[in-house]
Amino acid sequence: MIALFKRLLIFSGDQKGLLLRSFLFHVISSVFEMVPILAILTVLEEVLAKQQGKLISADMIRKSFAIMIVSILGRIVFINLSANARTLGSFSVCTKKRLIIGERLKHAPMGYFSENRLGDITAAVTTTLGDIESNAVTIMESVAGGFIHAIVITSWLFFYERRIGLLSLAGLLAALLVYADIQKVSKKHSPRRQAAQAALVTAVLEYVQGMGVVKAFGLDGHAAQTMNQSIEESASANIKLEKAFSTMTGWYQTVFKLARAAVLVFAPYLLWTGEISAEKCLLLLVSSFMIYSAVEVAGSMSSVARLVDASLDRMEKIMAIPSLDE
């Protein structure tokens, strides 16, 4: 995944500052998402104190309200900053790449167009760049941001209750192992999907552009058969990719469910043995639902990550367009 991030930054050229800003703002917004834990802790302490005959203070209400307001405003501000930087960065990068390809095609020798199908070139500046445009920065935010989110909460748990922190870390490490397997599956199936997509674009273009010849010589059946085969191959490649990922994503989600269940069992056990207080137990139970909330999304994005990686491979090939000697 780190290698993919490096490739994206190199590919983005002078726009990488916007992409990095988008990622940074997303991480900061994740930090604000954890702030409500402090409000929950404040409320729990006061509620449990009331059970012992004490009154809930107005200061507690004001403090909890202030913490929630800070959390909400922080999320709103930094999510919007991240979205703006992501949108501007992604579209700017791909706009420049399309213009560069268009300029290079003007100076390419005619032999290049004989050796490369029009569908491959068209797919590069439409579907391929569209994948990068729509998904590149989102992957950085969802995958890297999700793991950073989980690491921050796990670090907090280490200071708050070391044993629960270790349990959370074990779940995170197990998820990383499954995620590595997901990347292997993606590497195996994604190239076929990309090739099928390019072949489909080529088949449609050839069918439309050759319509005059098809009608003149009565080749409707043959031309339609070629296009239908491309459609079926594209469908087959996409379905096979989804089936492979659905299985691995299921295991990825199961790891988090088991880790969360372990916290839900172990925290009450520590309360039962008298090793932690009631408010600490309640807060750990609440935290167990927040630990993996962001990183769980990373599993569903792993297939997209591999598609972006394959798209970058295709773009590198297209960008190496030869130029005629002036």
Side-chain angles (χ1 to χ4, degrees):
M1 186 54 65
I2 294 175
L4 175 58
F5 293 164
K6 287 181 178 177
R7 291 188 70 187
L8 283 172
L9 291 176
I10 293 171
F11 180 79
S12 60
D14 58 358
Q15 298 297 316
K16 66 181 178 182
L18 279 172
L19 303 188
L20 288 172
R21 266 205 303 276
S22 171
F23 175 68
L24 177 62
F25 290 147
H26 183 80
V27 172
I28 295 173
S29 73
S30 297
V31 174
F32 277 102
E33 188 179 359
M34 293 180 288
V35 171
I37 294 179
L38 300 176
I40 295 170
L41 178 59
T42 303
V43 172
L44 286 175
E45 288 175 345
E46 289 291 331
V47 169
L48 291 172
K50 187 178 184 299
Q51 296 298 316
Q52 300 172 2
K54 298 179 181 178
L55 295 175
I56 297 178
S57 66
D59 286 341
M60 180 278 295
I61 297 174
R62 284 193 292 269
K63 187 189 298 183
S64 300
F65 182 72
I67 292 172
M68 293 303 297
I69 290 296
V70 168
S71 173
I72 293 169
L73 291 178
R75 284 277 292 167
I76 291 172
V77 169
F78 285 100
I79 279 292
N80 276 282
L81 288 173
S82 175
N84 288 337
R86 175 177 67 247
T87 304
L88 289 172
S90 297
F91 281 100
S92 297
V93 168
C94 292
T95 295
K96 288 190 175 183
K97 294 299 179 184
R98 288 187 177 99
L99 291 172
I100 290 171
I101 291 173
E103 192 62 31
R104 290 187 179 179
L105 286 173
K106 295 178 186 178
H107 303 285
M110 292 307 296
Y112 175 80
F113 298 98
S114 299
E115 296 169 1
N116 296 270
R117 296 183 300 178
L118 181 60
D120 291 337
I121 301 171
T122 306
V125 296
T126 54
T127 307
T128 304
L129 271 174
D131 287 340
I132 297 173
E133 199 170 54
S134 304
N135 301 313
V137 185
T138 305
I139 291 166
M140 291 176 65
E141 294 175 353
S142 299
V143 178
F147 276 103
I148 289 173
H149 180 274
I151 290 169
V152 170
I153 296 184
T154 300
S155 302
W156 175 81
L157 285 174
F158 265 112
F159 289 101
Y160 195 68
E161 171 50 54
R162 183 173 52 84
R163 288 163 291 188
I164 297 294
L166 287 171
L167 199 58
S168 171
L169 180 61
L172 197 57
L173 292 175
L176 278 170
L177 293 175
V178 177
Y179 189 82
D181 286 336
I182 291 176
Q183 290 300 299
K184 291 177 183 177
V185 170
S186 179
K187 189 174 183 179
K188 178 180 177 182
H189 294 288
S190 292
R192 181 191 169 191
R193 186 261 185 189
Q194 288 285 65
Q197 197 76 11
L200 178 58
V201 174
T202 300
V204 172
L205 284 172
E206 290 177 349
Y207 182 77
V208 174
Q209 290 175 338
M211 188 58 68
V213 176
V214 170
K215 293 292 185 182
F217 292 93
L219 301 174
D220 305 61
H222 175 73
Q225 183 182 5
T226 302
M227 191 168 69
N228 287 337
Q229 287 175 348
S230 298
I231 292 171
E232 289 172 4
E233 170 59 18
S234 178
S236 174
N238 277 283
I239 290 170
K240 192 165 186 178
L241 180 68
E242 290 301 324
K243 282 184 176 180
F245 271 109
S246 61
T247 302
M248 296 305 300
T249 302
W251 282 110
Y252 183 79
Q253 299 290 339
T254 301
V255 169
F256 293 121
K257 299 293 186 291
L258 292 174
R260 189 174 287 125
V263 175
L264 291 173
V265 171
F266 192 56
Y269 170 77
L270 293 176
L271 174 63
W272 180 64
T273 58
E275 297 183 56
I276 60 174
S277 62
E279 62 266 25
K280 179 176 277 192
C281 177
L282 288 171
L283 189 61
L284 290 172
L285 293 178
V286 171
S287 300
S288 68
F289 290 95
M290 300 180 67
I291 298 170
Y292 307 118
S293 60
V295 74
E296 282 184 279
V297 181
S300 60
M301 294 296 295
S302 56
S303 59
V304 183
R306 183 56 201 168
L307 289 178
V308 170
D309 204 20
S311 296
L312 290 173
D313 290 337
R314 184 175 291 276
M315 286 307 303
E316 287 176 0
K317 181 180 178 182
I318 293 294
M319 292 295 286
I321 298 173
S323 294
L324 284 170
D325 189 349
E326 292 185 10

